[in-house]
PDB file of all heavy atoms in Angstrom:
ATOM      1  N   CYS A 222      -8.962  13.017   5.898  1.00 97.00           N
ATOM      2  CA  CYS A 222      -9.299  13.721   7.142  1.00 97.00           C
ATOM      3  C   CYS A 222     -10.457  14.700   6.913  1.00 97.00           C
ATOM      4  O   CYS A 222     -10.977  14.839   5.812  1.00 97.00           O
ATOM      5  CB  CYS A 222      -8.072  14.453   7.678  1.00 97.00           C
ATOM      6  SG  CYS A 222      -6.746  13.361   8.246  1.00 97.00           S
ATOM      7  N   LYS A 223     -10.810  15.377   7.984  1.00 96.00           N
ATOM      8  CA  LYS A 223     -11.879  16.374   7.943  1.00 96.00           C
ATOM      9  C   LYS A 223     -11.326  17.783   7.799  1.00 96.00           C
ATOM     10  O   LYS A 223     -12.085  18.748   7.724  1.00 96.00           O
ATOM     11  CB  LYS A 223     -12.732  16.265   9.206  1.00 96.00           C
ATOM     12  CG  LYS A 223     -13.338  14.880   9.434  1.00 96.00           C
ATOM     13  CD  LYS A 223     -14.237  14.462   8.278  1.00 96.00           C
ATOM     14  CE  LYS A 223     -14.828  13.079   8.509  1.00 96.00           C
ATOM     15  NZ  LYS A 223     -15.686  12.646   7.379  1.00 96.00           N
ATOM     16  N   SER A 224     -10.023  17.905   7.791  1.00 96.00           N
ATOM     17  CA  SER A 224      -9.369  19.196   7.606  1.00 96.00           C
ATOM     18  C   SER A 224      -8.098  18.957   6.789  1.00 96.00           C
ATOM     19  O   SER A 224      -7.806  17.824   6.388  1.00 96.00           O
ATOM     20  CB  SER A 224      -9.028  19.821   8.973  1.00 96.00           C
ATOM     21  OG  SER A 224      -8.186  18.950   9.719  1.00 96.00           O
ATOM     22  N   ASN A 225      -7.350  20.003   6.525  1.00 97.00           N
ATOM     23  CA  ASN A 225      -6.160  19.870   5.693  1.00 97.00           C
ATOM     24  C   ASN A 225      -5.191  18.822   6.257  1.00 97.00           C
ATOM     25  O   ASN A 225      -4.937  18.782   7.458  1.00 97.00           O
ATOM     26  CB  ASN A 225      -5.443  21.213   5.570  1.00 97.00           C
ATOM     27  CG  ASN A 225      -6.141  22.149   4.601  1.00 97.00           C
ATOM     28  OD1 ASN A 225      -6.935  21.721   3.764  1.00 97.00           O
ATOM     29  ND2 ASN A 225      -5.843  23.439   4.700  1.00 97.00           N
ATOM     30  N   VAL A 226      -4.656  18.010   5.347  1.00 98.00           N
ATOM     31  CA  VAL A 226      -3.789  16.901   5.763  1.00 98.00           C
ATOM     32  C   VAL A 226      -2.307  17.223   5.621  1.00 98.00           C
ATOM     33  O   VAL A 226      -1.464  16.402   5.985  1.00 98.00           O
ATOM     34  CB  VAL A 226      -4.108  15.630   4.946  1.00 98.00           C
ATOM     35  CG1 VAL A 226      -5.504  15.148   5.205  1.00 98.00           C
ATOM     36  CG2 VAL A 226      -3.877  15.866   3.447  1.00 98.00           C
ATOM     37  N   ASN A 227      -1.958  18.395   5.101  1.00 98.00           N
ATOM     38  CA  ASN A 227      -0.558  18.685   4.783  1.00 98.00           C
ATOM     39  C   ASN A 227       0.368  18.516   5.984  1.00 98.00           C
ATOM     40  O   ASN A 227       1.417  17.864   5.895  1.00 98.00           O
ATOM     41  CB  ASN A 227      -0.402  20.075   4.165  1.00 98.00           C
ATOM     42  CG  ASN A 227      -1.115  21.154   4.958  1.00 98.00           C
ATOM     43  OD1 ASN A 227      -1.674  20.921   6.034  1.00 98.00           O
ATOM     44  ND2 ASN A 227      -1.122  22.376   4.417  1.00 98.00           N
ATOM     45  N   GLN A 228      -0.003  19.092   7.129  1.00 98.00           N
ATOM     46  CA  GLN A 228       0.867  19.020   8.301  1.00 98.00           C
ATOM     47  C   GLN A 228       0.963  17.594   8.834  1.00 98.00           C
ATOM     48  O   GLN A 228       2.038  17.140   9.247  1.00 98.00           O
ATOM     49  CB  GLN A 228       0.367  19.958   9.402  1.00 98.00           C
ATOM     50  CG  GLN A 228       1.326  20.068  10.594  1.00 98.00           C
ATOM     51  CD  GLN A 228       2.667  20.681  10.204  1.00 98.00           C
ATOM     52  OE1 GLN A 228       2.718  21.760   9.611  1.00 98.00           O
ATOM     53  NE2 GLN A 228       3.756  19.988  10.514  1.00 98.00           N
ATOM     54  N   SER A 229      -0.144  16.868   8.831  1.00 98.00           N
ATOM     55  CA  SER A 229      -0.132  15.493   9.332  1.00 98.00           C
ATOM     56  C   SER A 229       0.739  14.598   8.457  1.00 98.00           C
ATOM     57  O   SER A 229       1.476  13.741   8.966  1.00 98.00           O
ATOM     58  CB  SER A 229      -1.554  14.934   9.397  1.00 98.00           C
ATOM     59  OG  SER A 229      -2.306  15.587  10.403  1.00 98.00           O
ATOM     60  N   ILE A 230       0.679  14.771   7.140  1.00 98.00           N
ATOM     61  CA  ILE A 230       1.532  13.969   6.257  1.00 98.00           C
ATOM     62  C   ILE A 230       2.994  14.306   6.498  1.00 98.00           C
ATOM     63  O   ILE A 230       3.845  13.408   6.577  1.00 98.00           O
ATOM     64  CB  ILE A 230       1.145  14.193   4.779  1.00 98.00           C
ATOM     65  CG1 ILE A 230      -0.265  13.660   4.520  1.00 98.00           C
ATOM     66  CG2 ILE A 230       2.142  13.493   3.856  1.00 98.00           C
ATOM     67  CD1 ILE A 230      -0.751  13.888   3.096  1.00 98.00           C
ATOM     68  N   TYR A 231       3.287  15.573   6.632  1.00 98.00           N
ATOM     69  CA  TYR A 231       4.663  16.003   6.920  1.00 98.00           C
ATOM     70  C   TYR A 231       5.159  15.347   8.207  1.00 98.00           C
ATOM     71  O   TYR A 231       6.262  14.772   8.248  1.00 98.00           O
ATOM     72  CB  TYR A 231       4.719  17.525   7.041  1.00 98.00           C
ATOM     73  CG  TYR A 231       6.078  18.073   7.412  1.00 98.00           C
ATOM     74  CD1 TYR A 231       6.973  18.487   6.431  1.00 98.00           C
ATOM     75  CD2 TYR A 231       6.463  18.194   8.750  1.00 98.00           C
ATOM     76  CE1 TYR A 231       8.220  18.998   6.765  1.00 98.00           C
ATOM     77  CE2 TYR A 231       7.696  18.706   9.094  1.00 98.00           C
ATOM     78  CZ  TYR A 231       8.573  19.109   8.103  1.00 98.00           C
ATOM     79  OH  TYR A 231       9.807  19.611   8.453  1.00 98.00           O
ATOM     80  N   ASP A 232       4.360  15.431   9.268  1.00 98.00           N
ATOM     81  CA  ASP A 232       4.772  14.854  10.551  1.00 98.00           C
ATOM     82  C   ASP A 232       4.944  13.343  10.450  1.00 98.00           C
ATOM     83  O   ASP A 232       5.865  12.769  11.047  1.00 98.00           O
ATOM     84  CB  ASP A 232       3.731  15.187  11.628  1.00 98.00           C
ATOM     85  CG  ASP A 232       3.669  16.678  11.949  1.00 98.00           C
ATOM     86  OD1 ASP A 232       4.637  17.389  11.615  1.00 98.00           O
ATOM     87  OD2 ASP A 232       2.658  17.125  12.517  1.00 98.00           O
ATOM     88  N   GLY A 233       4.064  12.699   9.691  1.00 98.00           N
ATOM     89  CA  GLY A 233       4.182  11.260   9.510  1.00 98.00           C
ATOM     90  C   GLY A 233       5.438  10.879   8.746  1.00 98.00           C
ATOM     91  O   GLY A 233       6.114   9.895   9.083  1.00 98.00           O
ATOM     92  N   LEU A 234       5.771  11.650   7.724  1.00 98.00           N
ATOM     93  CA  LEU A 234       6.988  11.373   6.964  1.00 98.00           C
ATOM     94  C   LEU A 234       8.242  11.582   7.811  1.00 98.00           C
ATOM     95  O   LEU A 234       9.238  10.861   7.644  1.00 98.00           O
ATOM     96  CB  LEU A 234       7.046  12.260   5.719  1.00 98.00           C
ATOM     97  CG  LEU A 234       6.026  11.958   4.616  1.00 98.00           C
ATOM     98  CD1 LEU A 234       6.219  12.921   3.443  1.00 98.00           C
ATOM     99  CD2 LEU A 234       6.130  10.512   4.144  1.00 98.00           C
ATOM    100  N   MET A 235       8.211  12.538   8.702  1.00 98.00           N
ATOM    101  CA  MET A 235       9.346  12.735   9.609  1.00 98.00           C
ATOM    102  C   MET A 235       9.592  11.479  10.441  1.00 98.00           C
ATOM    103  O   MET A 235      10.744  11.083  10.680  1.00 98.00           O
ATOM    104  CB  MET A 235       9.087  13.933  10.524  1.00 98.00           C
ATOM    105  CG  MET A 235       9.145  15.276   9.829  1.00 98.00           C
ATOM    106  SD  MET A 235      10.819  15.743   9.319  1.00 98.00           S
ATOM    107  CE  MET A 235      11.538  16.147  10.920  1.00 98.00           C
ATOM    108  N   VAL A 236       8.519  10.841  10.875  1.00 97.00           N
ATOM    109  CA  VAL A 236       8.642   9.628  11.679  1.00 97.00           C
ATOM    110  C   VAL A 236       9.138   8.460  10.825  1.00 97.00           C
ATOM    111  O   VAL A 236       9.808   7.553  11.338  1.00 97.00           O
ATOM    112  CB  VAL A 236       7.275   9.285  12.327  1.00 97.00           C
ATOM    113  CG1 VAL A 236       7.342   7.990  13.097  1.00 97.00           C
ATOM    114  CG2 VAL A 236       6.845  10.416  13.244  1.00 97.00           C
ATOM    115  N   LEU A 237       8.841   8.481   9.540  1.00 98.00           N
ATOM    116  CA  LEU A 237       9.274   7.411   8.633  1.00 98.00           C
ATOM    117  C   LEU A 237      10.582   7.749   7.921  1.00 98.00           C
ATOM    118  O   LEU A 237      10.994   7.022   7.000  1.00 98.00           O
ATOM    119  CB  LEU A 237       8.189   7.152   7.584  1.00 98.00           C
ATOM    120  CG  LEU A 237       6.841   6.637   8.111  1.00 98.00           C
ATOM    121  CD1 LEU A 237       5.845   6.512   6.959  1.00 98.00           C
ATOM    122  CD2 LEU A 237       7.002   5.303   8.825  1.00 98.00           C
ATOM    123  N   GLN A 238      11.266   8.803   8.349  1.00 96.00           N
ATOM    124  CA  GLN A 238      12.479   9.244   7.656  1.00 96.00           C
ATOM    125  C   GLN A 238      13.546   8.155   7.585  1.00 96.00           C
ATOM    126  O   GLN A 238      14.344   8.098   6.634  1.00 96.00           O
ATOM    127  CB  GLN A 238      13.052  10.485   8.349  1.00 96.00           C
ATOM    128  CG  GLN A 238      14.234  11.126   7.644  1.00 96.00           C
ATOM    129  CD  GLN A 238      13.836  11.921   6.415  1.00 96.00           C
ATOM    130  OE1 GLN A 238      13.466  13.076   6.497  1.00 96.00           O
ATOM    131  NE2 GLN A 238      13.926  11.299   5.250  1.00 96.00           N
ATOM    132  N   HIS A 239      13.573   7.258   8.582  1.00 94.00           N
ATOM    133  CA  HIS A 239      14.571   6.184   8.587  1.00 94.00           C
ATOM    134  C   HIS A 239      14.405   5.233   7.402  1.00 94.00           C
ATOM    135  O   HIS A 239      15.343   4.513   7.053  1.00 94.00           O
ATOM    136  CB  HIS A 239      14.461   5.373   9.889  1.00 94.00           C
ATOM    137  CG  HIS A 239      13.151   4.665  10.069  1.00 94.00           C
ATOM    138  ND1 HIS A 239      11.989   5.341  10.396  1.00 94.00           N
ATOM    139  CD2 HIS A 239      12.792   3.359   9.937  1.00 94.00           C
ATOM    140  CE1 HIS A 239      10.988   4.471  10.481  1.00 94.00           C
ATOM    141  NE2 HIS A 239      11.452   3.269  10.197  1.00 94.00           N
ATOM    142  N   ARG A 240      13.238   5.246   6.753  1.00 95.00           N
ATOM    143  CA  ARG A 240      12.995   4.345   5.629  1.00 95.00           C
ATOM    144  C   ARG A 240      13.470   4.922   4.298  1.00 95.00           C
ATOM    145  O   ARG A 240      13.434   4.222   3.283  1.00 95.00           O
ATOM    146  CB  ARG A 240      11.509   3.992   5.532  1.00 95.00           C
ATOM    147  CG  ARG A 240      10.960   3.294   6.766  1.00 95.00           C
ATOM    148  CD  ARG A 240       9.565   2.745   6.536  1.00 95.00           C
ATOM    149  NE  ARG A 240       9.572   1.658   5.568  1.00 95.00           N
ATOM    150  CZ  ARG A 240       9.757   0.375   5.882  1.00 95.00           C
ATOM    151  NH1 ARG A 240       9.968   0.012   7.143  1.00 95.00           N
ATOM    152  NH2 ARG A 240       9.732  -0.546   4.936  1.00 95.00           N
ATOM    153  N   GLY A 241      13.916   6.177   4.293  1.00 93.00           N
ATOM    154  CA  GLY A 241      14.416   6.766   3.066  1.00 93.00           C
ATOM    155  C   GLY A 241      14.851   8.194   3.265  1.00 93.00           C
ATOM    156  O   GLY A 241      14.068   9.008   3.756  1.00 93.00           O
ATOM    157  N   GLN A 242      16.081   8.500   2.876  1.00 91.00           N
ATOM    158  CA  GLN A 242      16.628   9.840   3.077  1.00 91.00           C
ATOM    159  C   GLN A 242      17.069  10.488   1.770  1.00 91.00           C
ATOM    160  O   GLN A 242      17.712  11.519   1.770  1.00 91.00           O
ATOM    161  CB  GLN A 242      17.806   9.790   4.054  1.00 91.00           C
ATOM    162  CG  GLN A 242      17.408   9.265   5.422  1.00 91.00           C
ATOM    163  CD  GLN A 242      18.567   9.218   6.392  1.00 91.00           C
ATOM    164  OE1 GLN A 242      19.722   9.404   6.010  1.00 91.00           O
ATOM    165  NE2 GLN A 242      18.276   8.956   7.653  1.00 91.00           N
ATOM    166  N   ASP A 243      16.708   9.879   0.664  1.00 92.00           N
ATOM    167  CA  ASP A 243      17.157  10.386  -0.626  1.00 92.00           C
ATOM    168  C   ASP A 243      16.207  11.427  -1.199  1.00 92.00           C
ATOM    169  O   ASP A 243      16.630  12.395  -1.815  1.00 92.00           O
ATOM    170  CB  ASP A 243      17.301   9.219  -1.609  1.00 92.00           C
ATOM    171  CG  ASP A 243      17.929   9.648  -2.929  1.00 92.00           C
ATOM    172  OD1 ASP A 243      19.111  10.013  -2.911  1.00 92.00           O
ATOM    173  OD2 ASP A 243      17.229   9.635  -3.949  1.00 92.00           O
ATOM    174  N   ALA A 244      14.897  11.218  -1.025  1.00 95.00           N
ATOM    175  CA  ALA A 244      13.908  12.139  -1.584  1.00 95.00           C
ATOM    176  C   ALA A 244      12.621  12.045  -0.790  1.00 95.00           C
ATOM    177  O   ALA A 244      12.392  11.073  -0.063  1.00 95.00           O
ATOM    178  CB  ALA A 244      13.651  11.817  -3.056  1.00 95.00           C
ATOM    179  N   ALA A 245      11.782  13.058  -0.937  1.00 97.00           N
ATOM    180  CA  ALA A 245      10.495  13.083  -0.239  1.00 97.00           C
ATOM    181  C   ALA A 245       9.474  13.794  -1.111  1.00 97.00           C
ATOM    182  O   ALA A 245       9.821  14.644  -1.943  1.00 97.00           O
ATOM    183  CB  ALA A 245      10.624  13.794   1.106  1.00 97.00           C
ATOM    184  N   GLY A 246       8.196  13.429  -0.905  1.00 98.00           N
ATOM    185  CA  GLY A 246       7.149  14.070  -1.684  1.00 98.00           C
ATOM    186  C   GLY A 246       5.794  13.970  -1.019  1.00 98.00           C
ATOM    187  O   GLY A 246       5.529  13.040  -0.255  1.00 98.00           O
ATOM    188  N   ILE A 247       4.943  14.951  -1.279  1.00 98.00           N
ATOM    189  CA  ILE A 247       3.556  14.974  -0.806  1.00 98.00           C
ATOM    190  C   ILE A 247       2.665  15.421  -1.955  1.00 98.00           C
ATOM    191  O   ILE A 247       3.000  16.371  -2.684  1.00 98.00           O
ATOM    192  CB  ILE A 247       3.368  15.939   0.392  1.00 98.00           C
ATOM    193  CG1 ILE A 247       4.145  15.464   1.624  1.00 98.00           C
ATOM    194  CG2 ILE A 247       1.880  16.074   0.742  1.00 98.00           C
ATOM    195  CD1 ILE A 247       4.094  16.450   2.790  1.00 98.00           C
ATOM    196  N   MET A 248       1.537  14.735  -2.118  1.00 98.00           N
ATOM    197  CA  MET A 248       0.507  15.192  -3.060  1.00 98.00           C
ATOM    198  C   MET A 248      -0.829  15.206  -2.340  1.00 98.00           C
ATOM    199  O   MET A 248      -1.179  14.249  -1.644  1.00 98.00           O
ATOM    200  CB  MET A 248       0.435  14.290  -4.283  1.00 98.00           C
ATOM    201  CG  MET A 248      -0.628  14.726  -5.300  1.00 98.00           C
ATOM    202  SD  MET A 248      -0.546  13.799  -6.851  1.00 98.00           S
ATOM    203  CE  MET A 248       0.640  14.789  -7.754  1.00 98.00           C
ATOM    204  N   THR A 249      -1.580  16.295  -2.483  1.00 98.00           N
ATOM    205  CA  THR A 249      -2.894  16.428  -1.851  1.00 98.00           C
ATOM    206  C   THR A 249      -3.946  16.732  -2.911  1.00 98.00           C
ATOM    207  O   THR A 249      -3.627  17.083  -4.051  1.00 98.00           O
ATOM    208  CB  THR A 249      -2.899  17.547  -0.796  1.00 98.00           C
ATOM    209  OG1 THR A 249      -2.558  18.797  -1.430  1.00 98.00           O
ATOM    210  CG2 THR A 249      -1.901  17.254   0.319  1.00 98.00           C
ATOM    211  N   SER A 250      -5.205  16.593  -2.495  1.00 96.00           N
ATOM    212  CA  SER A 250      -6.312  16.809  -3.418  1.00 96.00           C
ATOM    213  C   SER A 250      -7.380  17.682  -2.767  1.00 96.00           C
ATOM    214  O   SER A 250      -7.749  17.463  -1.608  1.00 96.00           O
ATOM    215  CB  SER A 250      -6.930  15.461  -3.825  1.00 96.00           C
ATOM    216  OG  SER A 250      -8.080  15.639  -4.615  1.00 96.00           O
ATOM    217  N   ALA A 251      -7.858  18.669  -3.517  1.00 95.00           N
ATOM    218  CA  ALA A 251      -8.943  19.535  -3.056  1.00 95.00           C
ATOM    219  C   ALA A 251      -9.731  20.020  -4.260  1.00 95.00           C
ATOM    220  O   ALA A 251      -9.148  20.515  -5.238  1.00 95.00           O
ATOM    221  CB  ALA A 251      -8.390  20.731  -2.276  1.00 95.00           C
ATOM    222  N   ASP A 252     -11.062  19.845  -4.210  1.00 92.00           N
ATOM    223  CA  ASP A 252     -11.944  20.315  -5.284  1.00 92.00           C
ATOM    224  C   ASP A 252     -11.501  19.791  -6.656  1.00 92.00           C
ATOM    225  O   ASP A 252     -11.459  20.539  -7.646  1.00 92.00           O
ATOM    226  CB  ASP A 252     -11.990  21.847  -5.293  1.00 92.00           C
ATOM    227  CG  ASP A 252     -12.529  22.405  -3.983  1.00 92.00           C
ATOM    228  OD1 ASP A 252     -13.457  21.785  -3.421  1.00 92.00           O
ATOM    229  OD2 ASP A 252     -12.013  23.443  -3.536  1.00 92.00           O
ATOM    230  N   ASN A 253     -11.147  18.504  -6.675  1.00 90.00           N
ATOM    231  CA  ASN A 253     -10.728  17.833  -7.911  1.00 90.00           C
ATOM    232  C   ASN A 253      -9.472  18.428  -8.537  1.00 90.00           C
ATOM    233  O   ASN A 253      -9.212  18.246  -9.738  1.00 90.00           O
ATOM    234  CB  ASN A 253     -11.866  17.828  -8.943  1.00 90.00           C
ATOM    235  CG  ASN A 253     -13.020  16.948  -8.509  1.00 90.00           C
ATOM    236  OD1 ASN A 253     -12.814  15.916  -7.870  1.00 90.00           O
ATOM    237  ND2 ASN A 253     -14.235  17.356  -8.842  1.00 90.00           N
ATOM    238  N   ARG A 254      -8.702  19.097  -7.720  1.00 93.00           N
ATOM    239  CA  ARG A 254      -7.386  19.572  -8.158  1.00 93.00           C
ATOM    240  C   ARG A 254      -6.327  18.903  -7.308  1.00 93.00           C
ATOM    241  O   ARG A 254      -6.551  18.579  -6.140  1.00 93.00           O
ATOM    242  CB  ARG A 254      -7.268  21.091  -8.025  1.00 93.00           C
ATOM    243  CG  ARG A 254      -8.161  21.866  -8.972  1.00 93.00           C
ATOM    244  CD  ARG A 254      -7.846  23.351  -8.914  1.00 93.00           C
ATOM    245  NE  ARG A 254      -6.475  23.636  -9.351  1.00 93.00           N
ATOM    246  CZ  ARG A 254      -5.936  24.855  -9.353  1.00 93.00           C
ATOM    247  NH1 ARG A 254      -6.656  25.896  -8.933  1.00 93.00           N
ATOM    248  NH2 ARG A 254      -4.712  25.052  -9.763  1.00 93.00           N
ATOM    249  N   LEU A 255      -5.141  18.690  -7.899  1.00 95.00           N
ATOM    250  CA  LEU A 255      -4.037  18.044  -7.198  1.00 95.00           C
ATOM    251  C   LEU A 255      -2.914  19.043  -6.963  1.00 95.00           C
ATOM    252  O   LEU A 255      -2.627  19.903  -7.807  1.00 95.00           O
ATOM    253  CB  LEU A 255      -3.512  16.861  -8.019  1.00 95.00           C
ATOM    254  CG  LEU A 255      -4.491  15.697  -8.186  1.00 95.00           C
ATOM    255  CD1 LEU A 255      -3.921  14.661  -9.132  1.00 95.00           C
ATOM    256  CD2 LEU A 255      -4.817  15.070  -6.843  1.00 95.00           C
ATOM    257  N   TYR A 256      -2.275  18.907  -5.813  1.00 97.00           N
ATOM    258  CA  TYR A 256      -1.168  19.795  -5.420  1.00 97.00           C
ATOM    259  C   TYR A 256       0.023  18.928  -5.041  1.00 97.00           C
ATOM    260  O   TYR A 256      -0.104  17.996  -4.243  1.00 97.00           O
ATOM    261  CB  TYR A 256      -1.584  20.678  -4.251  1.00 97.00           C
ATOM    262  CG  TYR A 256      -2.822  21.500  -4.530  1.00 97.00           C
ATOM    263  CD1 TYR A 256      -4.097  20.993  -4.280  1.00 97.00           C
ATOM    264  CD2 TYR A 256      -2.711  22.779  -5.071  1.00 97.00           C
ATOM    265  CE1 TYR A 256      -5.232  21.737  -4.556  1.00 97.00           C
ATOM    266  CE2 TYR A 256      -3.850  23.537  -5.341  1.00 97.00           C
ATOM    267  CZ  TYR A 256      -5.109  23.007  -5.081  1.00 97.00           C
ATOM    268  OH  TYR A 256      -6.228  23.746  -5.352  1.00 97.00           O
ATOM    269  N   LEU A 257       1.192  19.230  -5.619  1.00 97.00           N
ATOM    270  CA  LEU A 257       2.353  18.354  -5.465  1.00 97.00           C
ATOM    271  C   LEU A 257       3.602  19.129  -5.098  1.00 97.00           C
ATOM    272  O   LEU A 257       3.846  20.215  -5.639  1.00 97.00           O
ATOM    273  CB  LEU A 257       2.609  17.597  -6.779  1.00 97.00           C
ATOM    274  CG  LEU A 257       3.898  16.765  -6.860  1.00 97.00           C
ATOM    275  CD1 LEU A 257       3.843  15.584  -5.895  1.00 97.00           C
ATOM    276  CD2 LEU A 257       4.117  16.278  -8.293  1.00 97.00           C
ATOM    277  N   ARG A 258       4.361  18.549  -4.174  1.00 97.00           N
ATOM    278  CA  ARG A 258       5.711  19.021  -3.911  1.00 97.00           C
ATOM    279  C   ARG A 258       6.581  17.791  -3.664  1.00 97.00           C
ATOM    280  O   ARG A 258       6.256  16.954  -2.808  1.00 97.00           O
ATOM    281  CB  ARG A 258       5.761  19.947  -2.677  1.00 97.00           C
ATOM    282  CG  ARG A 258       7.164  20.226  -2.117  1.00 97.00           C
ATOM    283  CD  ARG A 258       8.053  20.958  -3.103  1.00 97.00           C
ATOM    284  NE  ARG A 258       9.387  21.182  -2.541  1.00 97.00           N
ATOM    285  CZ  ARG A 258      10.433  21.652  -3.237  1.00 97.00           C
ATOM    286  NH1 ARG A 258      10.279  21.965  -4.513  1.00 97.00           N
ATOM    287  NH2 ARG A 258      11.606  21.813  -2.660  1.00 97.00           N
ATOM    288  N   LYS A 259       7.653  17.648  -4.438  1.00 97.00           N
ATOM    289  CA  LYS A 259       8.596  16.556  -4.219  1.00 97.00           C
ATOM    290  C   LYS A 259       9.966  16.990  -4.712  1.00 97.00           C
ATOM    291  O   LYS A 259      10.083  17.792  -5.653  1.00 97.00           O
ATOM    292  CB  LYS A 259       8.152  15.278  -4.926  1.00 97.00           C
ATOM    293  CG  LYS A 259       8.045  15.357  -6.438  1.00 97.00           C
ATOM    294  CD  LYS A 259       7.620  14.010  -7.019  1.00 97.00           C
ATOM    295  CE  LYS A 259       7.545  14.048  -8.552  1.00 97.00           C
ATOM    296  NZ  LYS A 259       7.201  12.707  -9.106  1.00 97.00           N
ATOM    297  N   ALA A 260      11.005  16.491  -4.064  1.00 96.00           N
ATOM    298  CA  ALA A 260      12.375  16.848  -4.422  1.00 96.00           C
ATOM    299  C   ALA A 260      13.336  15.915  -3.695  1.00 96.00           C
ATOM    300  O   ALA A 260      12.944  15.169  -2.787  1.00 96.00           O
ATOM    301  CB  ALA A 260      12.679  18.307  -4.066  1.00 96.00           C
TER     302      ALA A 260
END
C-alpha cells in the first residue's frame, strides 16, 4: 500500500477468521526492517 498496512491486514484477518482460530500473526516491513506479532 501507500500507507501503513497494519490496520488493513488486521481487518482482513478478521474476515478470514473462519479459516483458522488457533493462532494469528502479522509481519510488516519498513526501511528494510521487519516487525512481527504472532501468538
Side-chain angles (χ1 to χ4, degrees):
C222 293
K223 303 300 180 181
S224 58
N225 283 341
V226 296
N227 49 5
Q228 187 64 53
S229 291
I230 294 178
Y231 177 94
D232 293 342
L234 291 180
M235 289 290 287
V236 176
L237 297 176
Q238 186 76 85
H239 63 286
R240 300 190 67 88
Q242 299 180 350
D243 187 67
I247 295 175
M248 180 172 272
T249 60
S250 174
D252 299 322
N253 292 326
R254 293 188 63 182
L255 294 174
Y256 304 88
L257 172 67
R258 166 63 181 171
K259 62 179 182 177

